[in-house]
Amino acid sequence: MLLSTLFFALLNVCVKLLPHLPPLEIIFFRSVLSLALSYGALRQARVQPWGQPGSRFYLLSRGTTGALALVLYFYTLQTMPLASAVTIQYLAPIFTAVLGIFIVKEKVQPWQWAFFLLSFGGVVLVKGVDTRIEPLYLAMGVASAVFSGLSYNSIRKLGGREHPMVIVLFSQLVVVPFSAVYCLMHWTTPVGWQDWGVLLLTGIFTQLSQVYKTKAYQAGPLASISSLDYLGILYALGLGFTFFGETFGLPSYAGMALVLLGVALNAAYTFRQARRPVPASPVVEEVAA
């Protein structure tokens, strides 16, 4: 999950370096490359690329909700400061955990709700003090987070039944036709080798991020895995300052600190719960005696 977050942060920089290209055109290029890489890897591994019949509903659900989340998120990346867009997107782990109660029947402990609310308060604080965020783009960011939560729950429902690359492949199968139609009607030609190089990097970073994230969500509990997403805010702050000279006031930094504090407390709580010994049942004790 840490590797996934790093590559996703680099993807964010690539998108922000292409403000003159429509987000759906960027999505088209990165999805075509990711589709080719995924299919090639599956063929080499001799894995059936279309998945099992019983898994296809969740594979298509993952692809559809992931595509909607991505389109909305790319729009916010191009219209907001990098760290602000990323911070709002970090509502996704909260929606993931809440939706997971109903979709995959995973419980969230009371203390974890408190930690989520702490992180959510940080997001609200960042929005409240950053006047560069328009309400429309804020709504798009929140909607993107909701669709991301649905997408991650679809991955969790699949569990280990499908190869991670199959899940990534289906995501691109949904995105490519949708974005291709838009490109046919609203084509903007990339300028020079710089644009083409950045577009190539978006595909590579997307592939690496999705593969590692899929493996993480297949293996671990939603509430603990999704909280690690928040660590990407550190990347966003550093990369936003390095590439775009973005700075923030003290209240914004305080809000981001609350986000990270909620993550750290949730991670520590989850680790502590995992190390607690499981009490033996009376039946087991009787047999042991």
Side-chain angles (χ1 to χ4, degrees), residues 34-256:
S34 183
L35 179 65
L37 291 173
S38 299
Y39 185 77
L42 288 170
R43 294 293 293 179
Q44 185 176 14
R46 297 182 179 179
V47 175
Q48 170 57 251
W50 313 120
Q52 303 174 41
S55 301
R56 285 171 190 162
F57 172 81
Y58 290 109
L59 286 169
L60 290 172
S61 173
R62 152 64 175 158
T64 303
T65 54
L68 291 169
L70 189 66
V71 171
L72 293 169
Y73 180 54
F74 274 25
Y75 270 104
T76 63
L77 281 176
Q78 291 189 333
T79 54
M80 293 183 194
L82 180 59
S84 295
V86 171
T87 302
I88 293 171
Q89 175 65 18
Y90 283 161
L91 292 173
I94 298 176
F95 290 123
T96 300
V98 173
L99 291 168
I101 297 173
F102 307 100
I103 298 175
V104 297
K105 312 302 181 184
E106 286 190 2
K107 293 182 179 180
V108 179
Q109 301 301 321
W111 274 111
Q112 288 181 293
W113 284 116
F115 302 147
F116 278 137
L117 287 174
L118 184 64
S119 294
F120 179 76
V123 173
V124 173
L125 181 58
V126 170
K127 164 60 188 84
V129 298
D130 196 338
T131 57
R132 294 168 290 184
I133 303 176
E134 296 183 14
L136 173 62
Y137 298 122
L138 171 64
M140 293 173 68
V142 173
S144 173
V146 173
F147 284 122
S148 293
L150 289 168
S151 179
Y152 298 150
N153 272 276
S154 295
I155 296 175
R156 189 65 176 146
K157 286 291 288 187
L158 287 167
R161 296 196 305 272
E162 296 293 346
H163 192 284
M165 206 68 74
V166 172
I167 301 174
V168 175
L169 178 75
F170 264 79
S171 297
Q172 313 317 321
L173 286 174
V174 174
V175 173
V176 168
F178 174 70
S179 56
V181 172
Y182 177 90
C183 289
L184 287 173
M185 296 186 295
H186 306 280
W187 175 256
T188 300
T189 304
V191 181
W193 63 267
Q194 295 94 337
D195 280 5
W196 290 107
V198 174
L199 285 171
L200 176 64
L201 288 176
T202 63
I204 295 173
F205 292 147
T206 294
Q207 184 73 2
L208 293 170
S209 176
Q210 288 197 347
V211 168
Y212 285 119
K213 179 170 287 191
T214 299
K215 287 183 176 181
Y217 275 103
Q218 283 183 310
L222 287 173
S224 56
I225 292 298
S226 63
S227 68
L228 293 175
D229 248 342
Y230 285 117
L231 298 177
I233 195 172
L234 297 176
Y235 299 127
L237 283 170
L239 294 171
F241 176 78
T242 301
F243 287 93
F244 311 108
E246 295 175 351
T247 57
F248 298 84
L250 184 59
S252 289
Y253 288 119
M256 294 174 190

